[in-house]
Amino acid sequence: MLHSSKFDFLIKQNKDKIFNYALYMLRNRMDAEDVAQEVMIRIWKNINKFNFYAARAWIMRTTHNLCIDNLRQKGKQYHREVSLDDNLSERIEDHNIDQSPEKVLSESMINEKIKNAIDRLPEIHKSPFVLYEIQGFKYKEIGKILDIPLNSVKVNILRARKQLQKELRFYAKKQLK
Amino acid sequence: MQKNNSNKIEESLLAKIIAVAYGDAGLMDKIKIYKLAKKNALVKQLLIEYRLTANTVHKIEETELPVSISDKVRSRIEGKSNSNAVGSFIYSRLFARPILSTSVALLLMIGIVGIFLFTKPASESKYSKIEIELAQQQFEHSLAIVGKVFQHAEKKLEIEVISKHVSKPLNTGLIYLNDYLIGG
């Protein structure tokens, strides 16, 4: 009973993080869903083994390792099959009271461009960037998850930010005008 | 000024500008960069551009995991855990405790013995009276045969074995013994 509620809590807190991370890493919805399922099953199997405070890092480390395994197995560098921004039409409908559809569409396009630019980042830069900027993990936690020194985490995030900026310079300038 | 030329900025300064734009720089760095941005157009431009990207990145919403996936996992887990739960319940209640397991074994033994005891009259009632009488007759007949065999064996023992094979050699032996004793 206790295990079940502990599991429910952990899943509720982390399921979207697991799925998003897998989605960014694998660029394929089906694979990301498979990884998310596997991670959740592993959480259940190990529910007694890890302590509650270290659970978040353990879960993301497992997700990361499974993503790497998946990429190695398939040896793929294919493009995203399903867009990350699947709910674009819903967001245009939701925002049309406050904002014009053109503006929402333009924002969504920039969002999509950024997501694609993140997609194109090398894995070594993308993992810490996604964990830090999108999922809100601390440097220390990212070091534990990816099993790399703290300094490497900072350097890789900085390089990712620079590369992202290089790719998005055109859109940034366009927006400033 | 930390500027090599009009278009290039030192790496360490760029790192600080980026950190300020993404909102994770220290207070001192923030003040330093804001002051510099007021004086230097390039620093200001970089700060604005990076901040714009940072804001967009921070606005990215997480895609929700489809409910069907978590439901699928839950049903798989619940299926496994229920079968495990029944097994572990029986094991923990009956077999993991020595006193309980001993008493269960005793109860089982008593039950088995009891079943045999109580089912015995029922098994007797399976045979009819005629069958019982026939069995008795057959039993008596077989006893009579055995009796006859014994009588025959007794006669043979008295007449043939004892008189011929036992008493005769015994007599001759005794004769030899008498002769020897009298002679000595």
Side-chain angles (χ1 to χ4, degrees), chain A residues 7-8 16-17 19-20 24 33 37 41 44 114 132-133 135 139 161-162 165 172-173 175-176, chain B residues 11 14 18 22 24 48-50 52-53 56-58 60 62-66 69 73-74 76-77:
Chain A
F7 175 75
D8 285 343
D16 292 340
K17 281 195 180 356
F19 181 56
N20 273 271
Y24 275 107
E33 285 176 1
Q37 273 193 60
I41 288 164
W44 175 255
I114 285 187
Y132 186 77
E133 301 293 358
Q135 308 214 305
Y139 289 133
R161 284 170 173 176
K162 281 181 185 174
Q165 194 65 25
K173 280 181 179 166
Q175 273 217 322
L176 284 171
Chain B
E11 278 299 308
L14 182 62
I18 295 170
Y22 274 84
D24 52 10
I48 292 168
E49 280 178 15
Y50 269 101
L52 205 67
T53 309
T56 319
V57 167
H58 292 153
I60 293 175
E62 280 190 330
T63 313
E64 278 183 28
L65 177 76
I69 302 297
V73 172
R74 208 170 290 276
R76 268 177 74 178
I77 286 164

Side-chain angles (χ1 to χ4, degrees), chain B:
Chain B
M1 190 65 54
Q2 298 175 49
K3 202 167 73 167
N4 291 337
N5 57 46
S6 58
N7 287 324
K8 286 192 176 174
I9 277 182
E10 269 182 23
E11 278 299 308
S12 60
L13 179 63
L14 182 62
K16 279 177 188 171
I17 293 169
I18 295 170
V20 172
Y22 274 84
D24 52 10
L27 187 67
M28 291 304 285
D29 283 343
K30 270 183 191 172
I31 294 165
K32 192 179 165 187
I33 295 299
Y34 284 138
K35 271 187 178 176
L36 206 62
K38 275 184 183 174
K39 292 173 196 169
N40 188 314
L42 185 61
V43 172
K44 191 181 177 182
Q45 191 193 336
L46 281 171
L47 185 66
I48 292 168
E49 280 178 15
Y50 269 101
R51 190 181 282 162
L52 205 67
T53 309
N55 287 342
T56 319
V57 167
H58 292 153
K59 272 183 198 167
I60 293 175
E61 286 170 10
E62 280 190 330
T63 313
E64 278 183 28
L65 177 76
V67 184
S68 62
I69 302 297
S70 45
D71 285 349
K72 208 189 280 180
V73 172
R74 208 170 290 276
S75 64
R76 268 177 74 178
I77 286 164
E78 277 168 6
K80 274 183 190 173
S81 68
N82 278 348
S83 61
N84 286 346
V86 172
S88 64
F89 177 81
I90 292 168
Y91 178 80
S92 63
R93 298 289 154 159
L94 296 180
F95 300 107
R97 297 173 188 181
I99 298 166
L100 261 174
S101 59
T102 314
S103 51
V104 167
L106 275 170
L107 276 171
L108 278 170
M109 279 171 71
I110 291 163
I112 290 162
V113 171
I115 286 163
F116 275 108
L117 285 173
F118 287 112
T119 51
K120 207 178 175 184
S123 65
E124 277 178 356
S125 65
K126 277 180 187 173
Y127 303 103
S128 64
K129 270 188 176 180
I130 302 158
E131 280 175 326
I132 292 163
E133 279 171 10
L134 191 73
Q136 271 180 340
Q137 277 177 4
Q138 283 172 348
F139 180 65
E140 281 167 10
H141 184 69
S142 60
L143 277 179
I145 291 165
V146 172
K148 273 183 183 176
V149 169
F150 273 121
Q151 280 175 355
H152 183 73
E154 196 182 357
K155 274 179 187 173
K156 203 166 186 175
L157 204 71
E158 278 177 4
I159 298 161
E160 285 184 20
V161 179
I162 295 172
S163 62
K164 284 180 186 175
H165 298 287
V166 180
S167 60
K168 269 186 182 176
L170 202 71
N171 281 332
T172 48
L174 284 168
I175 291 162
Y176 280 123
L177 197 70
N178 284 329
D179 288 345
Y180 177 72
L181 288 169
I182 293 159

Side-chain angles (χ1 to χ4, degrees), chain A residues 42-54:
Chain A
R42 288 193 187 189
I43 293 171
W44 175 255
K45 281 180 182 169
N46 294 284
I47 197 85
N48 297 321
K49 291 178 188 168
F50 54 79
N51 75 52
F52 225 72
Y53 301 102

